[in-house]
Amino acid sequence: KVLIDVPHSDLAEELAQSQTKIQVLQDTLQQVLDRREEERQSRQLLELYLEALKNEDSILSKVAESETVPRKEMDVVDTGTSSTGPSAKTALSDQILAALKEKPAPELCLDSQDLELVLKEDAQALALALRWDKQKAEALQQACDQELSKRLQQVQTLHSLRSTSKGKKTLP
Protein backbone atom coordinates (compact mmCIF):
# COMPACT_ATOMS: atom_id res chain seq x y z
CA LYS A 1 0.00 0.00 0.00
CA VAL A 2 2.88 2.35 0.83
CA LEU A 3 4.53 1.66 -2.54
CA ILE A 4 1.30 2.55 -4.32
CA ASP A 5 0.88 5.80 -2.42
CA VAL A 6 4.39 7.07 -3.20
CA PRO A 7 4.52 9.33 -6.28
CA HIS A 8 5.89 7.23 -9.14
CA SER A 9 8.52 9.83 -10.02
CA ASP A 10 10.02 9.64 -6.50
CA LEU A 11 9.93 5.85 -6.48
CA ALA A 12 11.50 5.68 -9.97
CA GLU A 13 14.32 7.93 -8.81
CA GLU A 14 14.86 5.90 -5.62
CA LEU A 15 14.91 2.56 -7.45
CA ALA A 16 16.80 3.88 -10.47
CA GLN A 17 14.08 2.69 -12.83
CA SER A 18 12.04 4.43 -15.50
CA GLN A 19 8.77 6.05 -14.51
CA THR A 20 6.85 3.78 -16.88
CA LYS A 21 8.23 0.65 -15.16
CA ILE A 22 7.33 2.09 -11.78
CA GLN A 23 3.84 2.98 -13.01
CA VAL A 24 3.37 -0.63 -14.22
CA LEU A 25 4.67 -1.88 -10.87
CA GLN A 26 2.27 0.36 -8.94
CA ASP A 27 -0.65 -0.69 -11.17
CA THR A 28 0.20 -4.35 -10.59
CA LEU A 29 0.42 -3.80 -6.85
CA GLN A 30 -2.96 -2.07 -6.90
CA GLN A 31 -4.47 -4.97 -8.84
CA VAL A 32 -3.11 -7.44 -6.29
CA LEU A 33 -4.56 -5.39 -3.45
CA ASP A 34 -7.90 -5.15 -5.23
CA ARG A 35 -7.96 -8.89 -5.87
CA ARG A 36 -7.13 -9.63 -2.23
CA GLU A 37 -9.96 -7.37 -1.11
CA GLU A 38 -12.37 -9.09 -3.52
CA GLU A 39 -11.26 -12.50 -2.23
CA ARG A 40 -11.74 -11.36 1.37
CA GLN A 41 -15.22 -10.09 0.58
CA SER A 42 -16.03 -13.29 -1.30
CA ARG A 43 -14.90 -15.39 1.66
CA GLN A 44 -17.02 -13.33 4.04
CA LEU A 45 -20.02 -13.63 1.76
CA LEU A 46 -19.51 -17.36 1.40
CA GLU A 47 -19.20 -17.78 5.16
CA LEU A 48 -22.44 -15.86 5.67
CA TYR A 49 -24.14 -17.93 2.99
CA LEU A 50 -22.94 -21.21 4.53
CA GLU A 51 -24.07 -20.06 7.96
CA ALA A 52 -27.49 -19.18 6.56
CA LEU A 53 -27.67 -22.60 4.87
CA LYS A 54 -26.80 -24.34 8.14
CA ASN A 55 -29.49 -22.39 9.94
CA GLU A 56 -32.01 -23.16 7.22
CA ASP A 57 -31.02 -26.84 7.18
CA SER A 58 -31.40 -27.12 10.96
CA ILE A 59 -34.84 -25.53 10.74
CA LEU A 60 -35.81 -27.84 7.86
CA SER A 61 -34.52 -30.90 9.67
CA LYS A 62 -36.53 -29.99 12.78
CA VAL A 63 -39.63 -29.51 10.65
CA ALA A 64 -38.91 -32.73 8.76
CA GLU A 65 -38.43 -34.66 12.00
CA SER A 66 -41.73 -33.45 13.39
CA GLU A 67 -43.48 -34.37 10.14
CA THR A 68 -41.77 -37.70 9.45
CA VAL A 69 -42.73 -39.45 12.68
CA PRO A 70 -46.49 -39.34 12.00
CA ARG A 71 -45.92 -40.18 8.33
CA LYS A 72 -43.92 -43.30 9.14
CA GLU A 73 -46.65 -44.48 11.44
CA MET A 74 -49.25 -43.76 8.76
CA ASP A 75 -47.21 -45.61 6.13
CA VAL A 76 -47.00 -48.69 8.30
CA VAL A 77 -50.70 -48.61 9.11
CA ASP A 78 -51.93 -47.67 5.65
CA THR A 79 -49.64 -49.62 3.33
CA GLY A 80 -47.37 -51.66 5.53
CA THR A 81 -44.25 -51.41 3.33
CA SER A 82 -44.42 -48.09 1.48
CA SER A 83 -40.99 -46.90 2.58
CA THR A 84 -39.33 -50.22 3.28
CA GLY A 85 -39.26 -51.61 -0.25
CA PRO A 86 -35.76 -52.38 -1.55
CA SER A 87 -36.21 -50.15 -4.62
CA ALA A 88 -36.91 -47.07 -2.48
CA LYS A 89 -33.62 -47.36 -0.53
CA THR A 90 -31.04 -44.68 -1.25
CA ALA A 91 -27.73 -43.70 0.26
CA LEU A 92 -28.97 -40.12 0.55
CA SER A 93 -29.89 -38.67 3.92
CA ASP A 94 -33.38 -37.39 4.67
CA GLN A 95 -31.92 -33.89 4.78
CA ILE A 96 -30.58 -34.17 1.21
CA LEU A 97 -33.84 -35.67 -0.03
CA ALA A 98 -35.80 -32.84 1.63
CA ALA A 99 -33.58 -30.24 -0.06
CA LEU A 100 -33.99 -31.99 -3.42
CA LYS A 101 -37.76 -32.01 -3.08
CA GLU A 102 -38.32 -28.53 -1.66
CA LYS A 103 -35.75 -26.29 -3.32
CA PRO A 104 -36.33 -24.83 -6.78
CA ALA A 105 -32.62 -25.27 -7.63
CA PRO A 106 -31.36 -27.85 -5.09
CA GLU A 107 -27.99 -28.21 -6.81
CA LEU A 108 -27.15 -24.69 -5.60
CA CYS A 109 -28.09 -25.50 -1.99
CA LEU A 110 -26.06 -28.69 -1.58
CA ASP A 111 -22.37 -28.88 -0.83
CA SER A 112 -20.04 -30.65 -3.24
CA GLN A 113 -20.02 -33.92 -1.29
CA ASP A 114 -23.81 -34.07 -1.36
CA LEU A 115 -23.79 -33.33 -5.09
CA GLU A 116 -21.42 -36.27 -5.59
CA LEU A 117 -23.77 -38.52 -3.59
CA VAL A 118 -26.70 -37.48 -5.77
CA LEU A 119 -24.66 -38.22 -8.90
CA LYS A 120 -23.63 -41.67 -7.65
CA GLU A 121 -27.24 -42.58 -6.85
CA ASP A 122 -29.13 -44.75 -9.34
CA ALA A 123 -31.61 -42.57 -11.23
CA GLN A 124 -34.46 -45.04 -10.72
CA ALA A 125 -33.85 -45.27 -6.95
CA LEU A 126 -33.60 -41.48 -6.76
CA ALA A 127 -36.88 -41.11 -8.67
CA LEU A 128 -38.61 -43.55 -6.31
CA ALA A 129 -37.22 -41.87 -3.20
CA LEU A 130 -38.38 -38.45 -4.40
CA ARG A 131 -41.62 -39.82 -5.89
CA TRP A 132 -40.68 -38.32 -9.26
CA ASP A 133 -40.46 -39.82 -12.72
CA LYS A 134 -37.08 -41.08 -13.90
CA GLN A 135 -36.63 -38.25 -16.43
CA LYS A 136 -37.00 -35.59 -13.74
CA ALA A 137 -34.51 -37.44 -11.52
CA GLU A 138 -32.05 -37.67 -14.42
CA ALA A 139 -32.48 -33.95 -15.13
CA LEU A 140 -31.72 -33.25 -11.48
CA GLN A 141 -28.58 -35.39 -11.69
CA GLN A 142 -27.48 -33.50 -14.81
CA ALA A 143 -27.99 -30.17 -13.01
CA CYS A 144 -25.95 -31.47 -10.07
CA ASP A 145 -23.21 -32.64 -12.45
CA GLN A 146 -23.09 -29.22 -14.13
CA GLU A 147 -22.92 -27.42 -10.77
CA LEU A 148 -20.15 -29.72 -9.56
CA SER A 149 -18.21 -29.15 -12.79
CA LYS A 150 -18.66 -25.39 -12.44
CA ARG A 151 -17.35 -25.48 -8.87
CA LEU A 152 -14.36 -27.56 -9.93
CA GLN A 153 -13.61 -25.12 -12.73
CA GLN A 154 -13.77 -22.20 -10.27
CA VAL A 155 -11.31 -23.93 -7.95
CA GLN A 156 -8.97 -24.68 -10.86
CA THR A 157 -9.20 -21.07 -12.02
CA LEU A 158 -8.39 -19.83 -8.53
CA HIS A 159 -5.36 -22.13 -8.34
CA SER A 160 -4.25 -20.93 -11.76
CA LEU A 161 -4.57 -17.30 -10.70
CA ARG A 162 -2.62 -17.98 -7.53
CA SER A 163 0.20 -19.71 -9.40
CA THR A 164 0.27 -16.87 -11.95
CA SER A 165 0.48 -14.26 -9.23
CA LYS A 166 3.22 -16.23 -7.45
CA GLY A 167 5.14 -16.34 -10.75
CA LYS A 168 4.92 -12.56 -11.09
CA LYS A 169 6.40 -12.09 -7.62
CA THR A 170 9.67 -13.71 -8.73
CA LEU A 171 10.17 -11.26 -11.60
CA PRO A 172 12.60 -8.39 -10.91
Side-chain angles (χ1 to χ4, degrees):
K1 181 71 177 149
V2 171
L3 290 174
I4 294 170
D5 293 338
V6 172
H8 59 273
S9 58
D10 293 347
L11 190 58
E13 187 178 311
E14 187 67 33
L15 295 175
Q17 295 289 326
S18 70
Q19 287 189 13
T20 55
K21 283 186 179 180
I22 296 302
Q23 184 63 39
V24 169
L25 173 67
Q26 287 179 324
D27 290 344
T28 304
L29 290 172
Q30 185 62 52
Q31 289 171 355
V32 169
L33 285 176
D34 293 345
R35 190 185 74 241
R36 285 183 181 173
E37 178 61 20
E38 287 174 7
E39 288 174 357
R40 185 189 65 75
Q41 290 175 355
S42 295
R43 275 193 303 273
Q44 284 181 333
L45 186 60
L46 183 59
E47 287 170 1
L48 288 172
Y49 177 72
L50 291 174
E51 187 176 322
L53 278 179
K54 285 180 185 177
N55 291 339
E56 184 178 309
D57 286 343
S58 67
I59 291 169
L60 284 177
S61 65
K62 288 177 185 176
V63 169
E65 285 174 14
S66 66
E67 290 178 355
T68 55
V69 173
R71 284 184 186 163
K72 286 181 183 176
E73 291 172 4
M74 251 178 18
D75 286 348
V76 171
V77 173
D78 292 345
T79 62
T81 58
S82 67
S83 64
T84 58
S87 60
K89 298 266 185 191
T90 65
L92 303 176
S93 70
D94 291 337
Q95 188 176 11
I96 295 172
L97 290 173
L100 293 174
K101 282 182 187 179
E102 297 169 8
K103 301 289 182 180
E107 67 275 8
L108 301 176
C109 301
L110 298 174
D111 64 22
S112 296
Q113 290 175 338
D114 292 342
L115 289 175
E116 288 176 355
L117 289 174
V118 172
L119 288 174
K120 289 178 184 175
E121 193 63 49
D122 178 59
Q124 185 64 36
L126 183 61
L128 287 173
L130 295 171
R131 295 187 177 109
W132 290 354
D133 61 25
K134 188 175 178 183
Q135 290 173 337
K136 189 173 179 180
E138 288 172 344
L140 171 71
Q141 285 182 314
Q142 277 186 326
C144 290
D145 187 34
Q146 289 173 352
E147 178 62 23
L148 199 56
S149 297
K150 186 174 102 176
R151 291 179 187 181
L152 179 61
Q153 184 179 11
Q154 288 173 341
V155 169
Q156 289 171 340
T157 302
L158 181 60
H159 286 298
S160 175
L161 287 172
R162 283 187 182 154
S163 65
T164 302
S165 71
K166 285 181 183 176
K168 287 184 179 180
K169 288 179 185 175
T170 59
L171 296 175

